[in-house]
Each structure stands twice: as C-alpha cells, then as structure tokens.
Amino acid sequence: MRATLEAMFIGYHASHEQLAPSELLSSVQLAERVGFHGAMCSDHLAPWGVAQGHSGYAWSWLGAALALTRFGFGVVTAPGQRYHPAVAAQAIATLAEMFPGRFWAALGSGELVNEHVTGDPWPEKGERDRRLDESASVIRRLLHGERVDHDGAVRVHDARVWSLPTAPPLLVGAAISPGTAERVAAWADGLITTGTDASALADAIGAYRAAGGRGEVSLQVHVSIARTADDAAALARDQWRHGAVTRVSPWDVAQPEDFDRLAAESDADPAESVIAGAEPHEIADRVRALCAGVDRVYLHHIGKDQRRFVEEDAPALIAALEEGS
C-alpha cells in the first residue's frame, strides 16, 4: 500500500455548512489558483452546528463552480430519502454532460440532520445501507441510458435520463467503518473516507480492497490552522464542536441545536477530532501519516476564513506535503 504522498492528488474541500455559497465560490476559485489539484464539496440541508451558520444547495453551486474553474469536482451526496435516485441520476448526468471528465459523485447512506425534512421515518442503519445499494444500482443503470423499474427499499417507475454524458462519471462509495467499506466495494468505482485515526483508516481501506474494491481511495482530512496551536484548538471547539459527539451516533441527530447540546454534554474535546496546529510542516507530517493506501487527499480547513487559509496557509501546506513525498 502507498506509504507516502508520492504523486498524490491534493484537493480542496469546500464546506457548504460554513460559508455562504457566493463566498465559497470565490474560495474554490482561489484554491485552483494556488495549486490545489481539484475540489470536492458536501451536500447538506443543514449545518452540524449553529455557529457554522450556512448550508447552500450543492447542485446549483457545483454548476457555477465547474463553469468558473478548470479542475475536477466531486460531491458527497445521499440518495434515497431527500433525493429520489432518479432525480439524483439526472443531476449527476447533467453536470457530467456539461463538464466531461471533471465530475464525480460519492454516494452515502445519509444523515438525519439533512434527511428528516421529508417527514419519512429515519430507517435503521441496515435499512439505510440496503436503500443506498439499491439507489446506487438505479443511478448507475440510468447513467448508462437504461429505462428503470425498481420496487424495493426505493421505488422507481419507468425512469429514464434523457440528457446523458458521453461517458458515465465515477460513482464512489462513501464509508467510514470497515463494514460499510466492504459493502460498497460491490458497486463503487472508488472509496472516499475520513478520519484522523490511522489504524481505523487502514482497517476501512483494507476491508474495501479485500472485498474487491476497485478504483482510487480518497481521504478527506479536517485541519485547523491558526497563528498558534491554542488558537487552532479554539477554532475547532467553535466550528467543529460536533466532533465531540461520541456517545450517540452523529448520523442519528436531527438538528444543529441538538449537536451543540450533545457536544456541550460530552467530555470529548472537538480539537482531538481534527488535525490542529500552527506549522504547515507539522500539519503535513500528521496528514502524511494517515495516507497509507490513499491516492487522493482533500484538505478541509475548518475555519470560516477560507481566504486566509487558501492564500496564506495552503501554499505552504501543499509545498510541505509535496516535499515529503
């Protein structure tokens, strides 16, 4: 497995939960100019905490972001409840047709904070997994031009996507646990995961590969960079407080206010859930230590001042990562 960042793709993660869509659009244009190789974004209806304060619609934003840049983009999305898989397939196909070879979508089983708005019951994890598997199959078939009927965890009636790209985009599996990584290997064109525990990441990546998982492995890493280490930790405690929610499943929390309450009741330190510090070389060393078996790393600075991060911190961080390759 890969042990260094040799030939590593270093991407920028655009967090819709923390910036207004217009500001995030400026940030991703800057990210391309300073040397990031590509970008990815979240797809939330709500942020994880009140202090984050935003949650723009990813699909509208992606059209603008792709039009105003030249590098590639991905999105992590959850078909099956808030998005019917046929609607998700149409959105994916439209972006892939307009921007050939530049767009991919990662499919996950979702979070209650985004999905509860439909008023439908929130299924247990096993049912959500089955719904994701079926949604992924429906989306792939639609992207290949099939007419689809399906009756299972999701229902589809005689669906067809009319505007198709020349080549279907990659459908990546989003997973954190080894069990989920093993399951998505059956249909995914690659894996995307996140975390700061090298052993846990190795277990998830190993499970994906052992199950026959193909394609590239991408890692999203949350970092907090500030003038001092104390400032970086304080920033994490303000903006990433949901990282302290460990006694209940964060996938089963309904409102940003609930995340804030649960974090306040927790003994965990949100700063421990991100890579926090002041020195780019130190941050780079800690990121590199997570990257065994990883082909792409997407860096997410968890602060709201993305312009300062991209213009001042990111070039040094990218250089430090490349120096250590």
Side-chain angles (χ1 to χ4, degrees), residues 222-241 269-280 282-283 286 300-304 308 313:
H222 304 297
V223 302
S224 179
I225 304 179
R227 299 307 181 196
T228 69
D230 287 343
D231 288 344
L235 180 60
R237 293 173 189 131
D238 176 63
Q239 284 295 302
W240 218 246
R241 62 186 66 172
D269 184 354
E272 296 297 321
S273 68
V274 305
I275 296 178
E279 296 296 331
E282 175 194 348
I283 298 290
R286 294 175 64 187
H300 171 217
H301 171 57
I302 54 92
K304 285 194 171 188
R308 186 190 68 78
D313 298 318

Coordinates of all heavy atoms in Angstrom, one line a residue, residues 222-241 269-280 282-283 286 300-304 308 313:
H222 N -9.8 16.8 7.9 CA -10.2 18.1 8.6 C -9.0 18.7 9.3 O -8.4 18.0 10.2 CB -11.4 17.9 9.5 CG -12.6 17.3 8.9 ND1 -13.3 17.9 7.8 CD2 -13.2 16.1 9.1 CE1 -14.3 17.1 7.5 NE2 -14.3 16.0 8.3
V223 N -8.6 19.9 9.0 CA -7.5 20.5 9.6 C -7.9 21.9 10.2 O -8.8 22.5 9.7 CB -6.3 20.7 8.7 CG1 -5.8 19.3 8.1 CG2 -6.6 21.7 7.6
S224 N -7.2 22.3 11.3 CA -7.4 23.6 11.8 C -6.1 24.3 12.0 O -5.2 23.9 12.7 CB -8.1 23.5 13.2 OG -8.3 24.8 13.8
I225 N -5.9 25.3 11.2 CA -4.6 26.0 11.1 C -4.8 27.5 11.6 O -5.7 28.2 11.1 CB -4.0 26.0 9.7 CG1 -3.8 24.6 9.2 CG2 -2.6 26.7 9.7 CD1 -3.2 24.5 7.8
A226 N -4.0 27.9 12.6 CA -4.1 29.2 13.1 C -2.7 29.7 13.5 O -1.7 29.0 13.3 CB -5.1 29.3 14.3
R227 N -2.7 31.0 14.0 CA -1.4 31.6 14.3 C -0.6 30.8 15.4 O 0.6 30.8 15.4 CB -1.6 33.0 14.7 CG -2.2 33.9 13.6 CD -1.4 33.8 12.3 NE -2.0 34.7 11.2 CZ -1.8 34.6 10.0 NH1 -1.0 33.6 9.5 NH2 -2.3 35.4 9.1
T228 N -1.4 30.3 16.3 CA -0.8 29.5 17.4 C -1.6 28.2 17.5 O -2.8 28.1 17.1 CB -0.9 30.2 18.7 OG1 -2.3 30.3 19.2 CG2 -0.3 31.6 18.6
A229 N -1.0 27.2 18.2 CA -1.7 25.9 18.4 C -2.9 26.1 19.2 O -3.9 25.4 19.0 CB -0.7 24.9 19.0
D230 N -2.8 27.0 20.2 CA -4.0 27.2 21.1 C -5.1 27.8 20.3 O -6.3 27.5 20.5 CB -3.6 28.2 22.2 CG -2.8 27.5 23.3 OD1 -2.8 26.2 23.3 OD2 -2.2 28.2 24.1
D231 N -4.8 28.7 19.4 CA -5.8 29.4 18.5 C -6.5 28.3 17.6 O -7.7 28.3 17.3 CB -5.3 30.5 17.6 CG -4.9 31.7 18.5 OD1 -5.4 31.8 19.6 OD2 -4.1 32.5 17.9
A232 N -5.7 27.4 17.1 CA -6.2 26.3 16.2 C -7.1 25.4 17.0 O -8.2 25.0 16.5 CB -5.0 25.5 15.6
A233 N -6.8 25.1 18.2 CA -7.7 24.3 19.0 C -9.0 25.0 19.4 O -10.1 24.4 19.3 CB -7.0 23.9 20.3
A234 N -8.9 26.3 19.7 CA -10.1 27.1 20.0 C -11.0 27.2 18.7 O -12.2 27.1 18.9 CB -9.7 28.5 20.4
L235 N -10.4 27.3 17.6 CA -11.2 27.3 16.3 C -12.0 26.0 16.2 O -13.2 26.0 15.8 CB -10.3 27.6 15.1 CG -10.9 27.6 13.8 CD1 -11.9 28.8 13.7 CD2 -9.8 27.8 12.7
A236 N -11.3 24.9 16.4 CA -12.0 23.6 16.3 C -13.2 23.5 17.3 O -14.2 23.0 17.0 CB -11.0 22.5 16.6
R237 N -13.0 24.1 18.5 CA -14.0 24.0 19.5 C -15.2 24.9 19.2 O -16.3 24.6 19.6 CB -13.4 24.4 20.9 CG -12.4 23.3 21.4 CD -11.7 23.7 22.7 NE -10.6 22.8 22.9 CZ -9.4 23.2 23.2 NH1 -9.1 24.4 23.3 NH2 -8.5 22.2 23.4
D238 N -15.0 25.9 18.4 CA -16.1 26.7 17.9 C -16.8 26.2 16.7 O -18.0 26.1 16.7 CB -15.5 28.1 17.6 CG -16.6 29.1 17.0 OD1 -17.6 29.3 17.8 OD2 -16.5 29.5 15.9
Q239 N -16.0 25.8 15.7 CA -16.6 25.4 14.4 C -16.8 23.9 14.2 O -17.6 23.5 13.4 CB -15.7 25.9 13.3 CG -15.8 27.4 13.0 CD -17.2 27.8 12.5 OE1 -17.6 27.3 11.5 NE2 -17.9 28.7 13.2
W240 N -16.1 23.1 15.0 CA -16.2 21.6 14.8 C -16.6 20.9 16.0 O -16.2 19.8 16.3 CB -14.8 21.1 14.3 CG -15.0 20.0 13.3 CD1 -14.6 18.7 13.4 CD2 -15.6 20.1 11.9 NE1 -14.9 18.0 12.2 CE2 -15.5 18.9 11.3 CE3 -16.1 21.2 11.2 CZ2 -16.0 18.6 10.1 CZ3 -16.6 21.0 10.0 CH2 -16.5 19.7 9.4
R241 N -17.5 21.6 16.8 CA -17.9 21.1 18.1 C -18.6 19.7 18.0 O -18.6 18.9 18.9 CB -18.7 22.1 18.9 CG -20.0 22.5 18.2 CD -20.7 23.6 19.0 NE -19.9 24.8 18.9 CZ -20.4 26.0 19.3 NH1 -21.6 26.1 19.9 NH2 -19.7 27.1 19.2
D269 N -13.0 16.4 23.5 CA -12.5 17.7 23.0 C -12.6 17.7 21.5 O -12.0 16.9 20.8 CB -11.0 17.9 23.4 CG -10.5 19.3 23.0 OD1 -11.2 20.0 22.4 OD2 -9.3 19.5 23.4
P270 N -13.4 18.6 20.9 CA -13.5 18.7 19.5 C -12.2 18.9 18.8 O -12.0 18.4 17.6 CB -14.4 19.9 19.2 CG -15.2 20.1 20.5 CD -14.3 19.6 21.6
A271 N -11.2 19.5 19.4 CA -9.9 19.7 18.8 C -9.2 18.4 18.6 O -8.3 18.3 17.7 CB -9.0 20.6 19.7
E272 N -9.6 17.3 19.3 CA -9.0 16.0 19.0 C -9.5 15.3 17.8 O -9.0 14.3 17.4 CB -9.2 15.1 20.3 CG -8.6 15.6 21.5 CD -7.0 15.7 21.4 OE1 -6.5 14.8 20.8 OE2 -6.4 16.6 22.0
S273 N -10.6 15.8 17.2 CA -11.2 15.2 16.1 C -10.7 15.8 14.8 O -11.1 15.3 13.7 CB -12.7 15.3 16.1 OG -13.1 16.7 15.9
V274 N -9.8 16.8 14.8 CA -9.2 17.4 13.6 C -7.7 17.4 13.9 O -7.2 17.2 15.0 CB -9.8 18.8 13.4 CG1 -11.3 18.8 13.3 CG2 -9.3 19.8 14.5
I275 N -7.0 17.7 12.8 CA -5.5 18.0 12.9 C -5.3 19.5 13.1 O -5.5 20.2 12.2 CB -4.8 17.5 11.7 CG1 -5.0 15.9 11.6 CG2 -3.3 17.8 11.7 CD1 -4.3 15.3 10.3
A276 N -5.0 19.8 14.3 CA -4.9 21.3 14.7 C -3.5 21.7 14.9 O -2.7 20.9 15.6 CB -5.8 21.6 15.9
G277 N -3.1 22.8 14.5 CA -1.7 23.3 14.7 C -1.5 24.6 14.0 O -2.3 25.2 13.4
A278 N -0.2 25.1 14.2 CA 0.2 26.4 13.6 C 1.2 26.2 12.5 O 1.4 27.2 11.7 CB 0.7 27.3 14.7
E279 N 1.9 25.1 12.4 CA 3.0 25.0 11.5 C 2.6 24.0 10.3 O 2.2 22.9 10.5 CB 4.2 24.4 12.2 CG 4.8 25.3 13.3 CD 5.4 26.6 12.7 OE1 5.8 26.6 11.5 OE2 5.3 27.6 13.4
P280 N 2.7 24.5 9.1 CA 2.4 23.7 7.9 C 3.1 22.4 7.9 O 2.5 21.3 7.5 CB 2.7 24.6 6.7 CG 2.6 26.0 7.2 CD 3.0 25.9 8.7
E282 N 4.3 20.6 10.3 CA 3.7 19.7 11.4 C 2.4 19.1 10.9 O 2.1 17.9 11.0 CB 3.5 20.5 12.7 CG 2.8 19.6 13.8 CD 2.3 20.5 14.9 OE1 2.7 21.7 15.0 OE2 1.5 19.9 15.7
I283 N 1.5 20.0 10.3 CA 0.2 19.5 9.8 C 0.5 18.5 8.7 O -0.2 17.5 8.6 CB -0.6 20.7 9.3 CG1 -0.9 21.7 10.4 CG2 -1.9 20.2 8.6 CD1 -1.9 21.2 11.4
R286 N 1.4 15.1 9.9 CA 0.3 14.3 10.5 C -0.7 13.9 9.4 O -1.2 12.8 9.5 CB -0.4 15.2 11.5 CG 0.5 15.5 12.8 CD -0.2 16.5 13.7 NE -1.4 15.9 14.3 CZ -2.2 16.6 15.1 NH1 -2.0 17.9 15.4 NH2 -3.3 16.0 15.6
H300 N -9.6 20.0 4.3 CA -10.6 20.9 4.7 C -10.2 21.7 5.9 O -10.1 21.1 7.0 CB -11.9 20.1 5.0 CG -13.0 21.0 5.7 ND1 -13.8 20.5 6.7 CD2 -13.3 22.3 5.5 CE1 -14.6 21.5 7.0 NE2 -14.3 22.6 6.3
H301 N -9.9 23.0 5.8 CA -9.7 23.8 6.9 C -11.0 24.2 7.5 O -11.9 24.8 6.9 CB -8.9 25.1 6.5 CG -8.8 26.1 7.6 ND1 -8.2 25.8 8.8 CD2 -9.2 27.4 7.6 CE1 -8.3 26.9 9.5 NE2 -8.8 27.9 8.8
I302 N -11.2 23.9 8.8 CA -12.5 24.0 9.4 C -12.9 25.4 9.9 O -13.9 25.6 10.4 CB -12.7 23.0 10.6 CG1 -11.6 23.1 11.6 CG2 -12.7 21.6 10.1 CD1 -11.9 24.0 12.7
G303 N -12.0 26.4 9.6 CA -12.3 27.8 9.9 C -13.2 28.5 8.8 O -13.2 28.0 7.7
K304 N -13.8 29.6 9.2 CA -14.6 30.3 8.2 C -13.8 31.2 7.3 O -14.2 31.7 6.2 CB -15.7 31.1 8.9 CG -16.8 30.3 9.4 CD -18.0 31.2 9.8 CE -19.2 30.4 10.1 NZ -20.4 31.2 10.4
R308 N -8.0 33.5 4.0 CA -6.6 33.5 4.6 C -6.0 32.1 4.5 O -4.8 32.0 4.2 CB -6.7 33.9 6.1 CG -5.4 34.0 6.8 CD -5.5 34.2 8.3 NE -6.0 33.0 8.9 CZ -5.2 31.9 9.1 NH1 -3.9 31.9 8.8 NH2 -5.7 30.9 9.7
D313 N -2.0 30.0 4.1 CA -1.6 28.7 4.7 C -1.5 27.6 3.7 O -0.6 26.7 3.8 CB -2.6 28.3 5.8 CG -2.6 29.3 6.9 OD1 -1.5 29.8 7.3 OD2 -3.7 29.6 7.4

